[in-house]
């Protein structure tokens, strides 16, 4: 049995220089994902609203965005941003890019992850908005509330509660997808684990550490979300799985 | 824009699609089967079935697929003494990973049935097995179809990750051509278009299927 | 005959759904149970055919114990028919198949036998033309009548009705009640949870009023309406009879 031949060396996780590399990798995962997430929420909210507005060309644009980004693998989109996008810029801008943005792969990663996640977030916003029965709007308007007041006091709080569970999943998915940026050279935690192995042959320890990072993030987020859900929960409103 | 680069390398790149489809189909079949077993365990009231299955599902759903691939890559030489062929490594990690997602879809499909249906079946004297076979499963499967199709499309896209262990599926080949020809814009637009067409067709077929099974 | 002895049911939060219910329902009798939501009426019904598990007490159906683990609960359930508030027809089967499924699986009847019987029952409840329609093509009243036929197909000795007309459009209530009146007059042992007091007045031998898991009032029909003993019953009747038949 192979385990006997394998010398576990867990010190590789904190030993200099690997410990520092690992911390850097974890931090990179965190800030890359968060930046992409912010982009995704802003862009996704916009596209989600576009999809429910009255005007057909506007809806079509939103619809096209979502369909394109959802039917192309993330890896392809990532490669496009990293390899192809700079080539679309005029030559002088390209030069500037290569000279002044040394970690372009990081920014390409943020852009790719952000625009990809935005398409999924847009769909969730859309279903949240559509899930609210028309009669809710009518009830609010019939008591004299303006459109803005209705959205602010009735619709948005309602939609928010519907959206939170799929939103949480999407947030975690964003974190997990950040691992793919290693293919364009970003030194996030998964790449770091692989990289350390190439020097020390202790890949098992490093991938375990990387796994722990993702699982801990998942646990934290799920915990935070359940706390949030409890605080804003309205008894009997959303169907909880029983 | 040099579209000729696509035309010249088309046979090479298209050959990769065969491998992509192969990976996808095996993963869908294998993942579904393992997913059924996991779902049954998660629906069971026996702790020794429920807890391991739950841990499995949460574990694999919490990790990126790329990390699971690496796990297998590092783990297999340690356990078996020799390293796995890239294709097998890809299949095993894909199946294990996607099974966790299938398990949740199947479980949700079964649980989506109203309690009343189950009570109605039992009240006429049907056993658990008879109720499952005639009343519960047919309805659960109908409920699951959309999510299953979506998962199949996702799996098709996930095969592109075999890139990292060097498997020469479609994306890898496009990448190789790009390394040689450096016409990234045309090539990645092409890759995007191919995936887009295949996945859109898949999703549309899924919607048609959903409409047909909703009929009754 | 249904013999209920000291049945109590509770969930972890300590509130008793059923609190020491004791009652005997003679063969061929029709008993109506009424009361506010959450009084335990539906749970009691579900305890009788073993769909719900009670912690204390005993129930015997014609001498067969419901709570004894050695009892063949499936055979017992076959002998008790149940009709649900939301019909619970199997949406993926025709009306005919809904009715023939259990006779074929449990009694091992052949398809022909089961279908002949089913057709006879559908005629009895007045909708034999809908035999091969799917539930979604039927109206609420038609669905409930199919559900009654489905329960009758197992040739039960007792029929349990859990608010059978509460989910129906007002115009369809009478078509279902007519079927139920027919059954009661034909000598079926029936326990009906309902708010339809007109129905109760017409066919019930006894009426039970339940609140918070207990039987508050239990009397013959005329006595129940004319001379209720408990103030809570009087309050209930006052409120409900203002708007119902």
């Amino acid at each position: 049995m192979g385990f006997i031949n394998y010398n576990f060396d867990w010190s590789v996780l904190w030993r200099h220089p690997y410990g520092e590399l690992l911390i850097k990798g974890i931090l990179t995962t965190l800030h890359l994902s968060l930046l992409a997430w912010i982009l995704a929420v802003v862009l996704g909210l916009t596209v989600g609203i576009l999809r429910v507005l009255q005007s057909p060309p506007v809806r079509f644009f939103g619809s096209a965005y979502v369909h394109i980004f959802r039917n192309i693998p993330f890896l392809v989109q990532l490669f496009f941003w990293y390899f192809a996008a700079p080539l679309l810029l005029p030559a002088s801008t390209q030069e500037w890019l290569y000279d002044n943005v040394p970690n372009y792969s990081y920014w390409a990663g943020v852009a790719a992850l952000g625009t990809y996640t935005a398409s999924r977030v847009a769909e969730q916003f859309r279903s949240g908005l559509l899930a609210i029965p028309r009669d809710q709007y009518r009830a609010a308007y019939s008591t004299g509330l303006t459109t803005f007041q209705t959205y602010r006091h009735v619709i948005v709080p309602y939609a928010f509660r519907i959206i939170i569970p799929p939103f949480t999943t999407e947030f975690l998915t964003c974190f997990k997808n950040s691992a793919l940026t290693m293919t364009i050279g970003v030194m996030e935690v998964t790449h770091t684990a692989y990289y350390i192995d190439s020097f020390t042959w202790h890949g098992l320890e490093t991938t375990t550490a990387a796994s722990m990072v993702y699982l801990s993030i998942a646990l934290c987020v799920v915990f935070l979300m359940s706390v949030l859900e409890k605080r804003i929960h309205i008894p009997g409103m959303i169907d909880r799985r029983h | 824009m040099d579209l000729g680069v696509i035309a010249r390398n088309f046979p090479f790149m298209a050959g990769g699609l065969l491998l992509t489809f192969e990976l996808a189909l095996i993963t869908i079949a294998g993942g579904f089967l393992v997913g059924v077993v996991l779902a049954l365990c998660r629906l069971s009231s026996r702790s020794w079935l429920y807890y391991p299955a739950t841990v499995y599902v949460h574990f694999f759903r919490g990790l990126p697929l790329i990390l699971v691939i690496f796990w297998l890559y590092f783990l297999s030489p340690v356990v078996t003494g020799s390293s796995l062929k890239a294709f097998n490594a890809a299949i095993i990690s894909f199946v294990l990973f996607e099974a966790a997602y299938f398990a949740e879809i199947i479980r949700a499909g079964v649980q989506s049935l109203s309690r009343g249906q189950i009570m109605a079946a039992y009240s006429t004297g049907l056993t658990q097995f008879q109720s499952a076979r005639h009343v519960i499963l047919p309805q659960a499967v109908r409920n699951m179809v959309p999510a299953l199709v979506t998962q199949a499309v996702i799996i098709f896209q996930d095969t592109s990750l075999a890139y990292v262990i060097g498997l020469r599926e479609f994306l890898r080949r496009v990448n190789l051509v790009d390394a040689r020809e450096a016409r990234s814009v045309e090539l990645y637009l092409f890759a995007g278009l191919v995936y887009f067409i295949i996945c859109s067709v898949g999703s549309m077929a899924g919607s048609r299927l959903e409409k047909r099974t909703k009929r009754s | 005959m249904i013999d209920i002895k000291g049945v109590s049911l509770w969930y972890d939060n300590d509130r008793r759904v059923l609190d020491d219910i004791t009652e005997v329902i003679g063969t061929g009798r029709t008993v109506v149970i009424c009361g506010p939501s959450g009084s335990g009426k539906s749970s009691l019904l579900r305890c009788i055919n073993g769909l719900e598990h009670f912690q204390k007490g005993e129930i015997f159906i014609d001498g067969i114990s419901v709570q004894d683990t050695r009892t063949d609960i499936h055979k017992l359930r076959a002998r008790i028919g149940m009709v649900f508030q939301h019909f619970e027809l199997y949406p993926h089967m025709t009306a005919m198949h809904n009715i023939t499924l259990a006779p074929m699986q449990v009694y091992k009847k052949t398809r022909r036998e089961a279908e002949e019987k089913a057709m006879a029952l559908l005629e009895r409840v007045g909708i034999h033309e809908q035999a091969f329609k799917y539930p979604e093509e039927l109206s609420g009243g038609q669905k409930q009548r199919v559900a009654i036929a489905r329960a009758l197909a197992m040739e039960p000795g007792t029929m349990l009705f859990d608010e059978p007309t509460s989910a129906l459009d007002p115009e369809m209530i009478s078509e279902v009640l007519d079927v139920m009146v027919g059954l009661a007059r034909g000598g079926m042992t029936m326990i009906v949870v309902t708010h339809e007091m007109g129905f109760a007045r017409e066919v019930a031998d006894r009426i039970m009023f339940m609140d918070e898991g207990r039987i508050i009032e239990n009397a013959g029909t005329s006595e129940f309406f004319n001379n209720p003993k408990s103030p809570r019953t009087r309050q209930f009747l006052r409120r409900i009879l203002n708007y119902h038949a």
Side-chain angles (χ1 to χ4, degrees), chain A residues 67-74 116 120, chain B residues 20-21 24-25 28 98 102 105 145-160 195-207:
Chain A
H67 278 116
I68 291 173
F69 281 83
R70 290 187 75 167
N71 283 314
I72 302 179
F74 176 60
Y116 174 73
R120 301 165 66 98
Chain B
T20 298
F21 270 104
L25 288 169
I28 292 170
E98 304 289 355
F102 274 121
I105 292 172
V145 164
L148 287 176
V149 170
T150 312
Q151 190 61 30
V153 170
I154 290 174
I155 290 176
F156 187 79
Q157 296 182 16
D158 279 349
T159 57
S160 56
Y195 276 109
F196 180 74
I197 294 174
I198 297 175
C199 294
S200 300
V201 167
S203 304
M204 280 195 291
S207 315

Side-chain angles (χ1 to χ4, degrees), chain C:
Chain C
M1 183 178 92
I2 302 173
D3 194 359
I4 306 169
K5 285 187 180 153
V7 167
S8 293
L9 168 67
W10 62 86
Y11 300 124
D12 333 84
N13 56 5
D14 243 343
R15 191 181 64 89
R16 293 225 164 173
V17 177
L18 291 173
D19 197 358
D20 200 33
I21 306 284
T22 300
E23 187 54 45
V24 175
I25 295 161
T27 311
R29 299 270 174 244
T30 299
V31 172
V32 164
I33 307 179
C34 58
S37 313
S39 53
K41 331 188 281 286
S42 298
S43 301
L44 180 58
L45 235 54
R46 290 196 287 264
C47 286
I48 293 175
N49 67 349
L51 283 179
E52 203 146 349
H53 173 75
F54 49 96
Q55 286 95 337
K56 254 181 80 180
E58 298 172 307
I59 299 182
F60 293 92
I61 317 273
D62 292 332
I64 303 173
S65 155
V66 171
Q67 68 282 350
D68 192 337
T69 46
R70 288 167 302 178
T71 310
D72 186 343
I73 193 73
H74 305 292
K75 284 236 162 55
L76 188 59
R77 285 187 187 139
R79 294 256 156 240
I80 306 171
M82 193 161 191
V83 176
F84 300 83
Q85 182 178 357
H86 296 288
F87 331 124
E88 300 300 348
L89 293 181
Y90 311 131
H92 57 298
M93 296 180 185
T94 59
M96 171 64 76
H97 195 180
N98 260 273
I99 300 173
T100 58
L101 176 68
M104 285 170 63
Q105 293 295 318
V106 180
Y107 290 158
K108 309 293 185 208
K109 294 217 168 127
T110 67
R111 184 148 166 191
R112 261 194 71 199
E113 285 178 316
E115 288 195 350
E116 270 173 33
K117 179 84 194 282
M119 262 316 211
L121 284 169
L122 283 170
E123 280 187 37
R124 187 168 157 195
V125 299
I127 44 171
H128 65 276
E129 324 88 55
Q130 319 292 349
F132 293 99
K133 293 241 172 82
Y134 283 92
E136 68 172 29
E137 302 173 277
L138 302 174
S139 72
Q142 290 169 331
K143 280 195 271 225
Q144 196 61 301
R145 286 186 278 160
V146 172
I148 295 176
R150 178 175 66 178
L152 289 175
M154 298 301 280
E155 287 153 28
T158 311
M159 284 285 275
L160 306 174
F161 291 85
D162 190 356
E163 303 215 35
T165 57
S166 298
L168 293 176
D169 275 347
E171 290 177 304
M172 297 185 201
I173 294 179
S174 57
E175 70 195 48
V176 173
L177 288 181
D178 286 344
V179 172
M180 290 166 63
V181 167
L183 277 174
R185 296 227 168 98
M188 174 70 78
T189 313
M190 287 170 49
I191 307 178
V192 183
V193 172
T194 187
H195 297 303
E196 294 292 329
M197 290 307 165
F199 169 81
R201 243 197 265 263
E202 197 172 334
V203 286
D205 296 301
R206 212 141 38 86
I207 305 183
M208 280 169 35
F209 173 70
M210 282 181 71
D211 192 13
E212 292 186 353
R214 294 206 188 89
I215 302 177
I216 308 288
E217 187 96 25
N218 189 355
T221 310
S222 47
E223 200 187 316
F224 183 86
F225 284 111
N226 299 327
N227 209 2
K229 294 199 185 62
S230 153
R232 180 77 185 87
T233 317
R234 284 198 279 268
Q235 182 187 51
F236 179 78
L237 283 173
R238 241 198 333 269
R239 288 176 176 161
I240 195 174
L241 287 176
N242 280 335
Y243 295 98
H244 277 252

Side-chain angles (χ1 to χ4, degrees), chain B residues 43-70:
Chain B
L43 290 166
S44 155
S45 43
R46 301 176 204 192
S47 314
W48 58 276
L49 286 175
Y50 178 79
Y51 286 109
T54 305
V55 168
Y56 181 104
V57 168
H58 283 133
F59 180 75
F60 280 98
R61 284 174 64 112
L63 298 178
L65 177 52
I66 198 172
L67 191 59
V68 172
I69 297 176
F70 282 149

